[in-house]
């Protein structure tokens, strides 16, 4: 009996250690998104200066959601060996508003890349006229 109770205590201690490690990693990242979340909350009708506890709570939810999505995308990508944008699109394929917004942002990002590239070429031509 003594062995089973000590094994149970050891597994509880390991579980406690792993949760403490994950909490420590969250504490290091805490506050990174607070200003952005405050602005978003205000944009969605909250007070201009929301309670810090509310922002922290929302940040915890966002970090947990993003972490979960990345882990799921990594699981999908392990078959291929490379994490791609399409892995995330696959995960949100059933949430049409999210999928549309993501594809819109991705296409806008591509347009911006092309515009920057064209602008750099134009600058080079102006700097080095032949």
């Amino acid at each position: 009996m003594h062995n089973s109770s000590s094994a149970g205590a050891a597994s509880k201690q390991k579980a406690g250690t792993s949760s403490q490690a994950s909490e420590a990693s969250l504490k290091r990242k805490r506050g990174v998104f607070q200003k952005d979340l405050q602005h978003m909350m205000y944009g969605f009708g909250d007070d201009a200066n929301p309670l810090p506890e509310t922002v922290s709570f929302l940040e915890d939810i966002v970090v947990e959601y993003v972490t979960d999505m990345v882990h799921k995308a990594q699981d999908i990508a392990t078959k291929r060996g490379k994490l791609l944008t399409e892995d995330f699109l696959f995960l949100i394929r059933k949430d049409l508003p999210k999928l549309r917004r993501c594809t819109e942002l991705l296409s806008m990002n591509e347009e911006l890349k092309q515009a920057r590239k064209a602008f750099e070429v134009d600058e080079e031509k102006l700097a080095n006229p032949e």
Side-chain angles (χ1 to χ4, degrees), residues 11-28:
S11 66
K12 285 182 185 178
Q13 187 178 18
K14 283 183 184 178
T17 305
S18 66
S19 71
Q20 288 171 349
S22 65
E23 286 177 27
S25 67
L26 280 178
K27 286 182 183 177
R28 284 189 297 243

Side-chain angles (χ1 to χ4, degrees), residues 3-117:
N3 288 343
S4 65
S5 65
S6 64
S11 66
K12 285 182 185 178
Q13 187 178 18
K14 283 183 184 178
T17 305
S18 66
S19 71
Q20 288 171 349
S22 65
E23 286 177 27
S25 67
L26 280 178
K27 286 182 183 177
R28 284 189 297 243
K29 297 173 187 165
R30 192 162 267 192
V32 174
F33 303 111
Q34 285 198 355
K35 271 292 180 203
D36 295 322
L37 288 172
Q38 285 177 344
H39 293 301
M40 289 174 70
M41 289 169 68
Y42 180 65
F44 281 99
D46 202 336
D47 191 63
N49 294 310
L51 291 173
E53 296 86 7
T54 306
V55 179
S56 292
F57 181 67
L58 186 59
E59 184 180 30
D60 290 343
I61 292 170
V62 169
V63 168
E64 182 179 333
Y65 175 78
V66 171
T67 304
D68 185 47
M69 290 293 285
V70 169
H71 287 142
K72 287 178 182 177
Q74 283 178 326
D75 290 343
I76 293 169
T78 54
K79 296 172 184 118
R80 192 180 331 97
K82 185 177 182 183
L83 185 62
L84 299 173
T85 306
E86 287 75 23
D87 298 323
F88 292 97
L89 294 175
F90 177 78
L91 287 174
I92 60 169
R93 70 191 181 278
K94 293 180 182 176
D95 190 344
L96 290 180
K98 269 187 208 164
L99 182 62
R100 286 188 191 115
R101 181 66 175 150
C102 285
T103 53
E104 177 187 0
L105 290 172
L106 287 168
S107 66
M108 286 173 51
N109 187 41
E110 198 59 40
E111 287 177 29
L112 285 171
K113 281 182 186 177
Q114 291 173 356
R116 283 188 202 109
K117 193 174 185 180

